[in-house]
């Protein structure tokens, strides 16, 4: 019998409900490079309508979608403006430089928002021969630190970009979590950028895949670049069927993950020596620190593992627990019991 783990590492570890697997098995497929895979076409049509964009393109991953957007928006030697520690900058293996041949100019994130003034200062003067062209502004919502940008913040940046004729790309890997936290339709968040990446395989529980959305002309050009990047897949309908199920059945249940994260934070607060990053509690993530000297990191992780709980190690001195499909309140109670046993000795 397969052991059931309580996996708090990320919402990327979600497993698929039986109905999603059935949809995959029963999918009608074709060859997506020839654009005749019906399930993929339906996924792209539905996603574009849901998010208020003209067209969409199915791709293997969120990193692929972001890098495809950068490649399609820019030319080699250009520069893009991006928030410090954004996923594109910190966790995509330097792909923007390696694949698109562009450089990144980072701007600070103040109180989890990006100041339009900082973005304005980062835009290059094209009259100066020394400077590269500012070809793109990239924003992320929700942020990987557990926060969301406000709509006002996004609108201010988008307005600034429009005035300077610079496109905006939104890394919306967790866009539906951001929309839930903001209390607005996902379409409203997507409207603050020219192109958008959404991930199907995080909280939405599809096994593989993301979507890049934008204008029809942009997606036409992106389709060719997708082929250039090795992303011209064939019978993608088996995966697209899972993505369509995710968008039609799994979005509304994200509120359960957010509620469970609130519950998890409240239970963690019961343990002396734990500091919860309360100012970064917008979505389904709980960041916390253990009091210095409380327990060795390796010992802590091993005790969790021995109890059937998976967790990543610290990053910048913090642990992160992520709630997702498959994590219930009873699992959280188990985690707290284990942590109390090893931390309150």
């Amino acid at each position: 019998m397969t052991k059931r783990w309580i996996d708090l590492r990320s919402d990327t570890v979600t497993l698929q409900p039986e109905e999603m697997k059935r949809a995959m098995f029963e999918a009608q497929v074709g060859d997506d490079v020839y654009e005749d895979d019906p399930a993929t076409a339906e996924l792209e049509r539905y996603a574009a309508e849901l998010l208020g964009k003209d067209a969409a393109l199915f791709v293997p991953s969120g990193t692929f979608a972001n890098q495809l957007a950068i490649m399609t928006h820019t030319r080699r030697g250009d520069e893009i403006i991006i928030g410090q520690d954004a996923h594109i900058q910190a966790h995509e293996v330097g792909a923007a430089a390696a694949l698109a041949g562009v450089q990144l100019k980072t701007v600070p994130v103040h109180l989890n928002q990006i100041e339009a003034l900082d973005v304005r200062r980062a835009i290059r003067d094209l009259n100066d021969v020394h400077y590269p062209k500012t070809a793109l502004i990239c924003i992320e919502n929700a942020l990987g630190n557990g926060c969301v940008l406000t709509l006002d913040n996004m609108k201010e940046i988008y307005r600034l970009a429009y005035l300077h004729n610079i496109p905006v790309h939104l890394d919306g890997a967790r866009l539906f979590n951001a929309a839930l936290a903001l209390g607005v339709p996902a379409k409203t968040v997507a409207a603050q950028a020219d192109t958008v990446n959404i991930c199907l395989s995080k909280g939405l529980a599809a096994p593989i895949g993301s979507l890049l959305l934008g204008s029809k002309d942009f997606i036409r050009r992106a389709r060719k670049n997708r082929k250039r990047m090795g992303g011209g897949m064939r019978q993608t309908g088996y995966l697209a069927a899972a993505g369509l199920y995710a968008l039609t059945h799994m979005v509304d249940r994200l509120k359960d993950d957010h509620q469970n994260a609130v519950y998890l934070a409240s239970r963690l607060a019961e343990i002396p020596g734990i500091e919860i990053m309360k100012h970064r509690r917008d979505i389904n993530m709980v960041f916390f620190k253990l009091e210095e000297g409380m327990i060795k990191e390796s010992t802590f992780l091993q005790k969790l593992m021995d109890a059937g709980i998976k967790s990543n190690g610290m990053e910048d001195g913090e642990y992160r627990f992520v709630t997702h499909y498959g994590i219930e309140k009873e699992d959280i109670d188990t985690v707290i019991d284990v942590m109390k046993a090893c931390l309150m000795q």
Side-chain angles (χ1 to χ4, degrees):
M1 186 175 182
T2 304
K3 180 176 181 178
R4 182 184 182 277
W5 292 90
I6 300 174
D7 197 337
L8 299 174
R9 292 174 296 175
S10 176
D11 44 12
T12 61
V13 304
T14 50
L15 298 179
Q16 292 67 54
E18 291 302 317
E19 294 82 359
M20 182 184 286
K21 294 178 185 177
R22 189 175 306 114
M24 295 171 68
F25 181 77
E26 296 174 352
Q28 298 297 307
V29 300
D31 187 321
D32 187 46
V33 175
Y34 288 117
E35 299 184 45
D36 65 6
D37 185 286
T40 303
E42 176 59 15
L43 168 65
E44 291 170 347
R45 183 206 65 76
Y46 182 84
E49 181 179 338
L50 181 66
L51 292 174
K53 299 300 181 188
D54 292 336
L57 188 65
F58 182 68
V59 298
S61 70
T63 294
F64 197 113
N66 286 332
Q67 297 306 321
L68 178 58
I70 291 170
M71 182 181 290
T72 307
H73 276 299
T74 66
R75 300 178 65 180
R76 300 185 72 82
D78 285 345
E79 185 172 75
I80 66 177
I81 297 172
I82 192 166
Q84 66 185 25
D85 297 330
H87 194 276
I88 290 172
Q89 186 272 332
H91 296 288
E92 296 190 5
V93 210
L99 300 178
V102 298
Q103 65 184 28
L104 308 183
K105 188 172 184 64
T106 60
V107 294
V109 179
H110 302 286
L111 299 176
N112 306 314
Q113 304 297 304
I114 298 173
E115 297 292 340
L117 180 60
D118 289 329
V119 176
R120 174 64 190 88
R121 288 169 175 163
I123 296 174
R124 299 288 194 169
D125 179 0
L126 281 180
N127 294 317
D128 193 316
V129 71
H130 301 90
Y131 291 157
K133 175 186 176 183
T134 301
L136 182 65
I137 297 171
C138 292
I139 57 176
E140 184 176 352
N141 212 8
L143 297 168
N145 67 2
C147 296
V148 300
L149 298 181
T150 66
L151 275 179
D152 286 343
N153 192 192
M154 296 182 73
K155 288 177 180 178
E156 193 174 9
I157 293 170
Y158 197 28
R159 189 180 304 115
L160 173 67
Y162 176 80
L163 292 174
H164 289 270
N165 198 30
I166 301 170
V168 174
H169 172 67
L170 169 61
D171 178 1
R174 294 184 176 90
L175 183 146
F176 295 100
N177 294 93
L180 177 62
L182 292 169
V184 299
K187 183 182 294 189
T188 303
V189 180
Q192 313 313 318
D194 298 286
T195 59
V196 181
N197 152 43
I198 62 167
C199 187
L200 303 168
S201 62
K202 291 187 170 68
L204 301 186
I208 294 170
S210 290
L211 288 160
L212 177 61
L213 302 100
S215 69
K216 288 183 179 178
D217 179 68
F218 178 87
I219 294 300
R220 177 186 60 79
R221 291 184 287 118
R223 186 178 294 276
K224 190 163 189 174
N225 281 334
R226 183 185 70 171
K227 180 68 173 174
R228 179 175 287 124
M229 291 171 67
M233 301 175 286
R234 301 297 178 173
Q235 284 74 42
T236 51
Y238 296 114
L239 298 174
L244 185 59
Y245 185 95
L247 291 179
T248 54
H249 291 80
M250 304 299 285
V251 171
D252 288 344
R253 63 148 306 281
L254 289 175
K255 65 179 181 297
D256 298 335
D257 300 338
H258 286 218
Q259 290 168 358
N260 282 338
V262 171
Y263 181 67
L264 172 60
S266 69
R267 293 297 322 270
L268 284 170
E270 299 173 5
I271 304 175
I274 287 185
E275 178 188 0
I276 298 167
M277 307 296 105
K278 296 179 181 178
H279 61 296
R280 287 166 27 216
R281 273 287 313 109
D282 291 338
I283 57 171
N284 60 323
M285 299 178 180
V286 181
F287 292 82
F288 64 95
K289 294 180 180 180
L290 298 183
E291 189 176 278
E292 188 173 354
M294 196 172 185
I295 190 172
K296 287 178 59 177
E297 179 182 2
S298 59
T299 302
F300 177 56
L301 295 176
Q302 188 59 54
K303 285 183 177 292
L304 292 178
M305 184 70 73
D306 291 344
I309 302 164
K310 292 184 180 181
S311 170
N312 288 325
M314 286 189 292
E315 184 171 344
D316 297 328
E318 297 177 355
Y319 292 96
R320 183 188 78 169
F321 284 171
V322 183
T323 55
H324 52 81
Y325 177 69
I327 297 294
E328 305 294 343
K329 278 192 173 182
E330 294 78 9
D331 299 317
I332 293 171
D333 291 334
T334 298
V335 171
I336 298 303
D337 289 343
V338 171
M339 290 181 64
K340 284 181 175 180
C342 68
L343 297 175
M344 298 175 64
Q345 297 175 343

